[in-house]
Amino acid sequence: MLKIDGITRRFGDVTALDGVSLEIGQGEFFALLGPSGCGKTTLLRILAGFETPDSGTVTLDGDDLLATPPNRRPISLMFQSYALFPHMTVARNVAYGLEQEKLPRQEIKQRVGEVLETVGLSALGDRKPAQLSGGQRQRVALARSIVKRPRLLLLDEPLSALDKKVRADMQLELKRLQHEVGITFVVVTHDQEEAMSLADRIAVFDTGQVRQVDEPVALYERPRTRFVADFVGANNLFEGTAGGADALLTPDFGSLPGTPLEGLEDGVKALLGVRPEKIRLGDTAASDGLDGSVLDVSFYGGVSHLSIDVPGHVKPVLVAVQGASTVQPGAQVKLQWEAGDAVILPVAQ
């Protein structure tokens, strides 16, 4: 539905977007993920019409989107700050866009009623924004965005103003709403967990470029670049050279088990990434595995995180185990994992 081709945007000497190309399908929940300053919000503003790219094209259903004025684009943008009118009721806030289109009063009333019911705010239509919680204000902003029935809804860090529990509830709510209303959602976020829980596909941005586009599970389990492996979730990274079908050869630890990305040649500099939950604590007498000593144990409810000092490795190795760990700081441990649970990728990318 939406095709972004070779979009570049510069601000003086700074290149915010460098030849970005993406394709987003009808009804897809698509996330733009990356650290602050990587260009994701600039791309969102280009789609909304608030920025003009230096080069490249954007088409919506085959039509040139860049040639269409912002107010004529079938797009809604939900701001990070929500930008609700404080002097208007919830219902008036939601109706505002329809009133500007001069739709019949009865149609406005019907559509506002339907969308308030969809977001669970039917009983709060007469309240002002100041009388609502953060989560309720977020729903009002969402209702105002979808009541105009846009082809594309852009969300800029939509949950950043909410506390952790409300944020988790609203993640589920956003996903439910997106399926219910059938609108294509494009969300900008720097929160990996948020992107992974919401999106059908994720584009990872770094310094104005797209490093990888994939479904959440594939992105997590098979990162294709060093940046993605390090940025998306916790990861333990080891450097060496690709050494055959299922190993990374390292000067300090010998052969480490892993599965290389397709096309990775033997003998090239490579990186092995293994997730904390894929590492198990084995028998210290075993011949294979890495020897280490426990630096710290942190309990997070259902999971314990162990920080392990492995001589020769720059950073402590992070291990995640289910439940409360019986291992104590200072204990000697053996770290093991299966080749299929670690990925070997080029170090140069």
Side-chain angles (χ1 to χ4, degrees), residues 308-329:
I308 313 292
D309 176 44
V310 175
H313 197 251
V314 178
K315 295 172 63 176
V317 174
L318 185 63
V319 179
V321 298
Q322 290 297 314
S325 174
T326 56
V327 179
Q328 298 297 318

Side-chain angles (χ1 to χ4, degrees), residues 183-230:
I183 298 170
T184 301
F185 280 26
V186 177
V187 60
V188 158
T189 181
H190 64 270
D191 187 320
Q192 299 99 325
E193 288 185 9
E194 188 169 293
M196 301 282 278
S197 65
L198 288 175
D200 299 315
R201 286 193 304 145
I202 301 170
V204 181
F205 279 67
D206 176 40
T207 59
Q209 296 182 331
V210 177
R211 300 301 182 189
Q212 187 171 341
V213 181
D214 236 322
E215 296 177 358
V217 173
L219 194 71
Y220 185 81
E221 293 188 347
R222 303 293 289 172
R224 293 200 292 267
T225 71
R226 182 183 195 127
F227 176 81
V228 175
D230 199 27

Side-chain angles (χ1 to χ4, degrees), residues 12-277:
D13 296 333
V14 178
T15 301
L17 294 170
D18 188 6
V20 170
S21 296
L22 292 168
E23 291 189 7
I24 299 173
Q26 171 66 40
E28 193 170 19
F29 203 131
F30 196 90
L32 309 179
L33 174 66
S36 298
C38 70
K40 55 191 188 297
T41 297
T42 301
L43 180 60
L44 204 73
R45 289 174 59 82
I46 288 173
L47 297 180
F50 302 146
E51 293 283 352
T52 302
D54 298 307
S55 62
T57 61
V58 181
T59 58
L60 185 65
D61 291 328
D63 297 326
D64 184 4
L65 189 67
L66 299 180
T68 308
N71 61 321
R72 299 289 183 188
R73 299 184 184 189
I75 291 174
S76 285
L77 172 60
M78 182 175 154
F79 294 97
Q80 185 175 351
S81 63
Y82 307 150
L84 302 178
F85 297 116
H87 62 290
M88 291 185 183
T89 63
V90 166
R92 283 293 311 284
N93 263 284
V94 176
Y96 182 79
L98 302 179
E99 291 171 350
Q100 297 308 299
E101 294 180 358
K102 296 184 168 49
L103 295 181
R105 186 174 298 178
Q106 188 57 36
E107 182 180 348
I108 293 175
K109 183 177 180 181
Q110 179 184 341
R111 284 171 63 170
V112 169
E114 288 173 353
V115 78
L116 286 180
E117 184 173 349
T118 299
V119 299
L121 293 177
S122 296
L124 305 180
D126 294 329
R127 291 194 185 180
K128 299 282 183 66
Q131 298 172 293
L132 304 176
S133 68
Q136 289 169 336
R137 285 195 291 271
Q138 200 258 7
R139 293 180 190 213
V140 176
L142 190 60
R144 186 178 61 183
S145 297
I146 65 177
V147 75
K148 293 184 68 175
R149 298 171 183 168
R151 296 295 317 284
L152 186 65
L153 176 59
L154 311 176
L155 303 102
D156 186 9
E157 302 276 6
L159 308 181
S160 62
L162 306 177
D163 63 53
K164 188 171 183 178
K165 177 141 189 354
V166 176
R167 177 183 289 206
D169 291 341
M170 286 310 302
Q171 285 175 358
L172 295 175
E173 187 73 6
L174 269 180
K175 191 73 172 175
R176 180 189 70 80
L177 277 170
Q178 194 265 340
H179 283 296
E180 194 168 300
V181 300
I183 298 170
T184 301
F185 280 26
V186 177
V187 60
V188 158
T189 181
H190 64 270
D191 187 320
Q192 299 99 325
E193 288 185 9
E194 188 169 293
M196 301 282 278
S197 65
L198 288 175
D200 299 315
R201 286 193 304 145
I202 301 170
V204 181
F205 279 67
D206 176 40
T207 59
Q209 296 182 331
V210 177
R211 300 301 182 189
Q212 187 171 341
V213 181
D214 236 322
E215 296 177 358
V217 173
L219 194 71
Y220 185 81
E221 293 188 347
R222 303 293 289 172
R224 293 200 292 267
T225 71
R226 182 183 195 127
F227 176 81
V228 175
D230 199 27
F231 182 75
V232 178
N235 217 338
N236 298 295
L237 302 177
F238 298 86
E239 291 190 1
T241 56
D246 58 0
L248 179 84
L249 303 180
T250 69
D252 295 317
F253 313 114
S255 177
L256 298 179
T259 303
L261 289 178
E262 189 175 345
L264 186 65
E265 297 179 359
D266 288 356
V268 300
K269 287 188 176 181
L271 194 71
L272 180 143
V274 57
R275 300 291 183 180
E277 67 274 12

